Amino acid sequence: AQSVTQPDIHITVSEGASLELRCNYSYGATPYLFWYVQSPGQGLQLLLKYFSGDTLVQGIKGFEAEFKRSQSSFNLRKPSVHWSDAAEYFCAVGAQLGSNYKLTFGKGTLLTVNP
Amino acid sequence: GAGVSQTPSNKVTEKGKYVELRCDPISGHTALYWYRQSLGQGPEFLIYFQGTGAADDSGLPNDRFFAVRPEGSVSTLKIQRTERGDSAVYLCASSLGGGGASTQYFGPGTRLTVL
């Protein structure tokens, strides 16, 4: 069965600083990988996704993530954080088994941005 | 266009009562998913519909939980004899098709509190 680990429960950065959120996954085949962001009272919004091809994927709001098969990682990065980026971030892996498909999420990383 | 909507946004009930949570997917999306998000956790898969049928209900925790999608659009998650441990945010997502290539779009969730 697939699983996702987000090692950092809470990260605090200063506005304008760079950001990297870690994600490690476990899955037997080539995974579908996703990063979602959840602001208080809001639904999950997709930031970016990886299916195949170029291992560096660009997303919305200036985020990018790099798929590293050898490390089973899919870390999320942003060069300069804005105060509005404060939210909870979830990494997820999608697994297909026959006609069935499900997303498995990590426990999330809460991002605080200091002015 | 309209996104995924869920009603009610909040539901408070007493232990032992029956509740229904509704999800309106994005028009034309054939796949619909229910997830449960407990405090401090990532969303956990409950059930996946492709059209009117439940393609995968392996995430439903027990037989008190049931979901329907009779016309292949709106879905209702039904919980019988609610328990305090059922308190969580219930998220619905829809996608154009099933499978990993189709992005899941999430609704804002229904926060269920069982007293």
Side-chain angles (χ1 to χ4, degrees), chain B residues 46-86:
Chain B
L46 295 178
I47 187 169
Y48 157 46
F49 286 91
Q50 183 59 254
T52 60
D56 182 357
D57 64 357
S58 62
L60 294 178
N62 52 59
D63 62 6
R64 295 186 298 104
F65 288 74
F66 189 71
V68 296
R69 194 186 186 200
E71 298 179 355
S73 178
V74 171
S75 176
T76 304
L77 179 66
K78 308 180 181 193
I79 310 174
Q80 299 177 321
R81 304 183 304 280
T82 52
E83 299 178 356
R84 292 194 179 87
D86 299 335

Side-chain angles (χ1 to χ4, degrees), chain B residues 4 7 9 13 22 28 40 45 49 51 57 75 87 89 98-99 103 112:
Chain B
V4 178
T7 54
S9 55
T13 191
R22 176 186 168 109
F45 169 82
F49 286 91
D57 64 357
S75 176
S87 296
V89 176
T103 297
L112 175 65

Side-chain angles (χ1 to χ4, degrees), chain A residues 27-48:
Chain A
Y27 183 56
T30 300
Y32 300 102
L33 293 164
F34 306 82
W35 275 99
Y36 282 86
V37 61
Q38 187 176 41
S39 299
Q42 303 295 313
L44 290 158
Q45 181 183 23
L46 180 69
L47 286 175
L48 46 78

Side-chain angles (χ1 to χ4, degrees), chain B:
Chain B
V4 178
S5 62
Q6 294 184 245
T7 54
S9 55
N10 280 284
K11 176 70 176 179
V12 180
T13 191
E14 294 179 342
K15 181 175 177 295
K17 299 289 188 183
Y18 168 84
V19 296
E20 290 188 351
L21 311 179
R22 176 186 168 109
C23 172
D24 274 277
I26 293 172
S27 178
H29 280 194
T30 61
L32 186 146
Y33 304 80
W34 284 99
Y35 294 84
R36 179 169 70 175
Q37 186 175 18
S38 301
L39 195 61
Q41 303 293 316
E44 293 179 296
F45 169 82
L46 295 178
I47 187 169
Y48 157 46
F49 286 91
Q50 183 59 254
T52 60
D56 182 357
D57 64 357
S58 62
L60 294 178
N62 52 59
D63 62 6
R64 295 186 298 104
F65 288 74
F66 189 71
V68 296
R69 194 186 186 200
E71 298 179 355
S73 178
V74 171
S75 176
T76 304
L77 179 66
K78 308 180 181 193
I79 310 174
Q80 299 177 321
R81 304 183 304 280
T82 52
E83 299 178 356
R84 292 194 179 87
D86 299 335
S87 296
V89 176
Y90 289 81
L91 297 168
C92 176
S94 70
S95 64
L96 197 55
S102 293
T103 297
Q104 293 185 27
Y105 296 89
F106 283 79
T110 293
R111 181 176 299 278
L112 175 65
T113 303
V114 182
L115 301 176

Side-chain angles (χ1 to χ4, degrees), chain A residues 2 19 27 31 41 45 51 53 56 73 99 107:
Chain A
Q2 66 273 19
L19 172 69
Y27 183 56
Q45 181 183 23
F51 291 162
L56 184 63
S73 70
S99 61
K107 293 188 176 184

Side-chain angles (χ1 to χ4, degrees), chain A residues 1 17 21 39 45 57 65 68 83 85 93 102-103:
Chain A
L21 303 182
S39 299
Q45 181 183 23
V57 293
K68 293 185 176 180
W83 63 266
D85 293 325
V93 59
K102 65 179 70 171
L103 283 179

